[in-house]
Amino acid sequence: MSTEFVDNDRKPVGYGRMLRKEDPRFVRGKGRFIDDVQLPGMLHLALLRAPIAHGRILGVDTTAAEAHPKVKLVVTGAMLAERGLAWMPTMSGDVQAVLATDKVRFQGQEVAFVVAEDRYAARDALELIDVEYEQLPAVANVRTALDPAAPVIRDDLAGKTDNHCFDWETGDRAATEAAFADADVVVSQDMVYPRVHPAPLETCGAVADYDAVDGGLTLWCTTQAPHAHRTLYALVSGLPEHMIRVISPDIGGGFGNKVPIYPGYVCAIVASLLTGEPVKWTEDRSENLTSTAFARDYIMHGELAATRDGRILAIRTRVLADHGAFNGVAAPTNYPAGFFGVFTGSYDIRAAYCAMTAVYTNKAPGGVAYSCSFRITEAVYLIERLVDCLAFELELDPVELRLANLLRPEQFPYTTRTGWVYDSGNYEATLREALRIADYDGLRREQRDKRARGELMGIGVSFFTEAVGAGPRRDMDIMGLGMADGAELRVHPTGKAVLRVSCQTQGQGHETTFAQIVAEEIGIPPADIKVVHGDTDQTPFGLGTYGSRSTSVSGAAAAMVARKVRDKARLIASAMLEISVADLVWDKGSFAVVGDPTSCVTIQDIAMHAHGTGELPDGVEGSLEAQVHYNPENLTYPNGAYICVVDVDPDTAVVTVRRFVAVDDCGTRINPMIIEGQVHRGLTDGVGMALMEMIAFDDDGNCLSGSLMDYLLPSALEVPDWQTGFTVTPSPHHPIGAKGVGESATVGSPPAVVNAVMDALKPYGLRHADMPLTPSRLWEAMRGNPQPPV
Amino acid sequence: MQLTMTVNGEEVTAEIEGRLLLVHFLRDHLALTGTHWGCDTSNCGACAVWLDGEPVKSCTVLTAMAAGHEVRTVEGLEQFGELDAIQRGFMECHGLQCGFCTPGMLMTARALLDLNPSPSEQEIREAISGQICRCTGYATIVRSVQWAAAEEAGARTSIIDAGTP
Ligand code: FES
Ligand code: FES
């Protein structure tokens, strides 16, 4: 294991800082996003959505809409039901209405659609549809969803008499209870991780183009998982899979929001089938915020057991999870709570137990989204907040408490009490690097001086461990599809290469990073390697991009396929140089005869030879290409230490994030510029979630956060100039040692911000207040009246 | 209604509905899809273009209001096959990830630099505070604008140097 602290900034044939290959099109405004797709004769689809959260549909009158001169088609749930298309499976074994038939179950639910000649006319016609509802009482409060008197939301499910969704538990209950019984100190804390929304800047959409002559369907779609979506469409629609082509064009941010299949996609397909024309559906911002995959919404009760001198013994938690009207979570089948099971965090804890109950409410479906690495965001928030609560009670410095309990390098691979096998890490070195960059002792001195003057300055620390790169197919699947990913590499005669991968970029820079991975392995410059992705006809099968699985799974596939090509190149080189394979040495980009560096052939020479007429070794076919399907042996475990510095205005309760230091260990670093960008993004998420963001509802289930005026996202004025650092502890089982970094900062930063604000408010005796720490909520908390968010 | 305006230096005449938003006119009628649409409430800035040299949110401008005026979009930044310094700055400093906010950011940043060739970090943050970026965390955008400012300061210096005997 190596830990180095130097960056690598050079023009690389392989790893190192390199400008992105995708940027020239974006800075010219030449990206091709979903709404940029224009096809001849294309029609526009608009969805009519429920104005209420819970109600029975008594009748839908579409006559006036159909009479609109520009309208081609109006479809209701009843019409879909006739074709058996009114319901579709979700990614977690539940069903979700495509268009409501019996009841509407959340405000914003899809009720009917119109297809018209242009987008304005389609919207106009929505106004002409008359739906009669019988309003039902709504279940808007997750805490009362299981009351016997609560109305049953999912009466579509046979025999359903309550709003219970599932129960789940992990860990050893008896051992944990014993550890708590023996402990000197127990801290317990209720905390809410509010419902938030990924809100990518580009909303969701699709263009469906069904060709009645050849029976083929082409679907351009904002999807992070084109192959998985295609299989699902085949299963739902009955169209043969090989006749469906899903193209994910440039995606304007995903963050998990573009993993699920939304009713709008299915409606666009149906509309194209029925009209015989291409049909475009794009949602507006309020549709995106009110109907597509939300994230979090966990109500947690956490407890830590510890010795008086600060040794953490055990952790216990109860969780109430709000899954909305349909269980639309996109998590591996065996993991209904995602990877929340890693809630023991980065510490050597002897016993752990979690019991979770998930319920239905009259809110939008979803659950796993927003760069959370399958619920690790919630898990890290829980433990990192609890550790600070413990430090508060024991009057210990939160850094000292962490240092005393962090896993030590020699403990890896480390099996947690909930069964996760952490692959590698050097946690103390990572935390100390963050302390060094931040000048932690200096900050504490500054804080002392400020406190003496009545100023409120806070320093918040968090340490996180993520589990990403799902996952081993023996254990992990989405709807029965194993979570492996393919890669295919062709080196053409002139030595230029095309790599085809099954993951899909939404801004992470795959076209650059993956070219660098291949370049590192076979010595062809990244500029000569084209990366093809996001098109099921053009790429091998695989499960796509979410849960930070691109570099950890597809990146591994890219390295493996390049090694396969290099192995073949070695055989061809031995024929070209007329020497045995054992006498060849590889020097990134060429094979040379041992001891005679002038006798050598480059990868480009070999590519030409492989396609030419020259002699090839026995059993070696022409061409220079290979394909692999990578099945991860284990997850990878990126980790990091974050330090946040805030000032709180005592008169207004406004929090200013003044500094933020993030030290990440994502294993082998491919392009440090891109890694830094990924970290910056997540830190901004963290500040947003901690201070501003919440999808709120009133008692009737009306969504109060349906626009960017109500759902606040950080602008350039709310975030500081980030300071980043890194350690490198490669993953031992990953082909290139890379661990993935896309979600690290979203996972690790919210507790750092909240810990900092609580630290600032220590003079008020405050130990915990729930996110979002908006001025008004914080003001209440400072006056001894902290409120859980609603 | 029929109207005429100048878009990226070229005169265009079109027959449109009076309620058509400028963002949709540019995208759907002129196929200038670099200008994006990201919200319904004038909050995100993905739609920013120039109207007579001033950045405006084209989702909040009726096409009819631009009649007789000059519009400049991201497609008009590149001149004679050469990228504007602000475009190069964004590439050099990783000022973009998904690229969806980028056209609006570029137009706003270009306007800032025309007004204030060496803005401070705070001035840059204020100038782009009407734009949302969900990907970058803004620090690299700030650096991109600073890069472009320095580049242009350098370019100006060398022009001055060349003209001085
Ligand atoms: S689309 Fe114009 S500000 Fe959002
Ligand atoms: S680069 Fe994606 S929104 Fe800014």
Side-chain angles (χ1 to χ4, degrees), chain A residues 201 252-253, chain B residues 95-102 132-136 141:
Chain A
L201 200 57
Chain B
L96 67 150
Q97 291 185 28
C98 78
F100 201 78
C101 70
T102 313
I132 301 283
C133 175
R134 294 294 285 148
C135 300
T136 62
I141 293 181

Side-chain angles (χ1 to χ4, degrees), chain A residues 615-665:
Chain A
E615 199 69 20
L616 290 171
D618 281 349
V620 173
E621 294 173 347
S623 91
L624 192 55
E625 55 192 61
Q627 185 168 3
V628 301
H629 199 65
Y630 178 77
N631 171 32
E633 180 184 317
N634 183 10
L635 301 176
T636 55
Y637 293 81
N639 50 82
Y642 291 174
I643 298 176
C644 175
V645 183
V646 301
D647 297 310
V648 180
D649 184 329
D651 299 323
T652 61
V654 169
V655 177
T656 305
V657 178
R658 181 185 354 141
R659 267 184 85 192
F660 204 112
V661 173
V663 174
D664 276 272
D665 187 341

Side-chain angles (χ1 to χ4, degrees), chain A residues 20 36 120 124 681 714 716, chain B residues 19 24 27 97 125 135 138:
Chain A
R20 299 201 320 166
D36 304 344
Y120 285 38
D124 289 345
R681 194 199 73 68
Chain B
R19 62 174 172 169
H24 291 137
R27 294 180 49 78
Q97 291 185 28
R125 286 183 182 270
C135 300
Y138 304 106

Side-chain angles (χ1 to χ4, degrees), chain B residues 71-92:
Chain B
V71 173
R72 190 180 183 199
T73 70
V74 67
E75 288 90 346
L77 276 182
E78 188 175 359
Q79 297 277 325
F80 311 109
E82 209 168 293
L83 290 180
D84 191 278
I86 194 71
Q87 292 171 302
R88 284 184 284 133
F90 270 64
M91 295 203 290
E92 289 288 338

